[in-house]
Amino acid sequence: MDDAPGRKPWEAFRPDGVIIFSDILTPLPAFGVPFDIEEVRGPVIQSLICSEDCLKALHPIDLEKLHSVGESLKILRQEVGDHAAVLGFVGAPWTIATYIVEGGTTRTYTTVKSMCHTAPNLLRDLLCHLTKAISEYIIYQVESRVHCIQIFDSWGGQLPLDMWEQWSKPYITEIVSIVQNKCPKIPLVLYINGNCGLLERMKGTGVDVIGLDWTVDMADGRKRLGNDISVQGNVDPAYLFSPLPAVTEEIQRVVKCAGPRGHILNLGHGVLVGTPEEAVAHFFEVTKSLKYDSSSQNHAMEEPKLLV
């Protein structure tokens, strides 16, 4: 989103965190999966993984092919200095696999879901390969000076709970283990679109922050997850099309429901196309004006009060 000709979102809104707009599929060619982006269809992958022979075309990730990503992150880190966190991101193995098996975006996920039953060993081998590649890609981004990594299991919410436990969670958990061992100070955020039924299971992956989509009630999400893990979100992106007083009220509600500690205020998904920039600016202005009254923490039975 450009606020004005020559102005970057960082300059226009001064958020606490910045991210380079890219795509979770960016690393695919670096381990043997080329793809094109078509205007109507979006990502299109011709070399589908549908057999053991197809799997042989994959190779370890070549980080040299992602040199531009690393350089961009270093430049961004230099530009924002200590004024904002630089965020890196990756797709989770299951989500990346849906594209590689289906050949692009899909509404039904029938091919990859069928593979869970018709070719489970093939799918496991693919997910294992993706797990290793994604782990190395995360570490590469950390070495390129990001402060935090968000893992997007965008299509994990398309799986029944038991299938997510089997086909997504173990591979995310493995990534978390590898990264935490190599980069123990880097916070990891996990986001799943449609994650209302998965919150407790997401916590079991070992990540530091759970991103809530806008369909989850923040108070309920916080209650279910507890206070020993941080949460991110979760204002409905559509609220930014509403009158500004309504935006203000929703921000205040979400912040109050999340509580005084361990909350990263954000939208429950990305900014929608056509969102008024005035509303985006208002989101930041209201957010920066909020604070909790720390003096009330002196009373053992009182929660800090949100000051507006």
Side-chain angles (χ1 to χ4, degrees):
M1 173 184 288
D2 292 324
D3 178 67
R7 292 187 72 193
K8 302 172 184 176
W10 158 246
E11 297 167 338
F13 307 118
R14 293 286 165 168
D16 299 312
V18 293
I19 193 167
I20 292 177
F21 182 77
S22 183
D23 195 287
I24 58 173
L25 301 184
T26 296
L28 265 62
F31 54 80
V33 184
F35 68 94
D36 296 312
I37 301 289
E38 296 185 2
E39 186 172 347
V40 177
R41 295 176 59 192
V44 177
I45 297 173
Q46 301 292 348
S47 304
L48 306 183
I49 302 299
C50 55
S51 68
E52 292 291 344
D53 287 338
C54 296
L55 197 62
K56 293 176 182 177
L58 302 184
H59 54 74
I61 191 167
D62 182 357
L63 296 172
E64 280 297 315
K65 294 184 177 179
L66 297 166
H67 177 76
S68 61
V69 174
E71 288 302 303
S72 297
L73 290 171
K74 291 175 184 176
I75 292 170
L76 183 59
R77 175 70 185 269
Q78 184 175 7
E79 182 171 340
V80 303
D82 295 327
H83 301 290
V86 175
L87 312 178
F89 66 96
V90 296
W94 167 263
T95 289
I96 298 298
T98 66
Y99 289 96
I100 296 175
V101 173
E102 299 278 353
T105 56
T106 174
R107 294 182 179 181
T108 60
Y109 305 90
T110 51
T111 305
V112 68
K113 285 184 177 181
S114 296
M115 187 178 284
C116 296
H117 308 287
T118 60
N121 292 334
L122 173 62
L123 183 55
R124 288 191 190 96
D125 289 345
L126 172 59
L127 290 168
C128 286
H129 187 96
L130 293 174
T131 297
K132 188 174 188 303
I134 292 166
S135 299
E136 292 183 27
Y137 186 40
I138 289 176
I139 293 168
Y140 175 71
Q141 292 184 60
V142 172
E143 292 172 347
S144 300
R145 304 188 66 200
V146 302
H147 294 92
C148 173
I149 292 287
Q150 182 155 325
I151 302 170
F152 288 87
D153 195 9
S154 304
W155 309 132
Q158 298 294 324
L159 286 169
L161 300 186
D162 64 318
M163 289 186 70
W164 187 82
E165 285 273 3
Q166 182 177 358
W167 295 103
S168 186
K169 182 182 178 180
Y171 305 98
I172 296 174
T173 303
E174 177 67 13
I175 289 172
V176 171
S177 176
I178 292 170
V179 174
Q180 288 180 340
N181 182 60
K182 185 78 174 180
C183 316
K185 295 182 179 181
I186 297 297
L188 298 175
V189 184
L190 176 59
Y191 176 85
I192 300 176
N193 194 26
N195 62 10
C196 186
L198 291 166
L199 296 184
E200 294 85 354
R201 291 168 170 83
M202 292 170 68
K203 185 177 180 180
T205 62
V207 295
D208 304 286
V209 183
I210 300 295
L212 307 183
D213 79 4
W214 72 97
T215 65
V216 179
D217 179 75
M218 177 57 78
D220 180 58
R222 174 57 91 184
K223 181 179 180 180
R224 290 167 58 189
L225 289 168
N227 293 317
D228 58 338
I229 190 169
S230 296
V231 294
Q232 178 175 288
N234 70 336
V235 174
D236 185 347
Y239 253 100
L240 297 185
F241 290 85
S242 303
L244 297 185
V247 177
T248 300
E249 290 179 7
E250 179 62 5
I251 292 171
Q252 293 171 354
R253 185 193 70 80
V254 169
V255 171
K256 185 176 181 180
C257 289
R261 290 171 290 275
H263 176 219
I264 303 168
L265 181 66
N266 202 345
L267 299 180
H269 201 265
V271 177
L272 299 173
V273 175
T275 298
E277 293 178 12
E278 176 190 17
V280 178
H282 183 74
F283 182 94
F284 286 109
E285 290 167 6
V286 172
T287 301
K288 292 175 182 179
S289 72
L290 300 178
K291 64 178 180 179
Y292 273 93
D293 179 10
S294 59
S295 64
S296 64
Q297 292 180 346
N298 295 328
H299 304 282
M301 300 303 292
E302 289 187 20
E303 275 291 310
K305 296 178 181 179
L306 180 64
L307 302 179
V308 179

